[in-house]
Amino acid sequence: MNEGSLLRRTLVYIGTFVLGSLTFVGVTSLVLVSVAKTVLPPHGADGSASDTAEQAEGEATTGTSKSALGRTSRSKRPRPPSPAEREGAPSAD
């Protein structure tokens, strides 16, 4: 590996590193997925899993108008009345 120009040796080292990294990530991913498949139950094993999936899907469809625009929904907090609203409101006396 010590023969050739510095550029060629550098490219060989970088290529070896990239291929080794991709191999490591691929093997690790394959192992993790296979372990997860053996540990977790199948997707449609019991009725409760499908019920929760339907509930989650129903909840997801209710907020599509704002989430489609990339905005997250926020909970509404009670706002104190403005001074104009306070003047117009009947007094409790």
Side-chain angles (χ1 to χ4, degrees), residues 3-88:
E3 296 182 19
S5 67
L6 179 63
L7 177 63
R8 178 171 280 175
R9 285 184 290 173
T10 303
L11 291 176
V12 167
Y13 290 142
I14 290 173
T16 305
F17 176 76
V18 168
L19 287 176
S21 298
L22 289 175
T23 303
F24 176 75
V25 169
V27 168
T28 306
S29 173
L30 183 67
V31 167
L32 287 176
V33 167
S34 62
V35 167
K37 283 184 178 181
T38 59
V39 172
L40 296 175
H43 182 64
D46 57 293
S48 64
S50 61
D51 291 341
T52 56
E54 290 174 4
Q55 289 174 352
E57 185 178 319
E59 291 173 1
T61 57
T62 58
T64 54
S65 60
K66 285 191 177 182
S67 61
L69 299 174
R71 299 179 185 158
T72 57
S73 61
R74 291 190 254 167
S75 62
K76 298 279 184 176
R77 285 187 255 161
R79 216 171 48 185
S82 67
E85 291 174 344
R86 276 186 250 150
E87 290 175 7

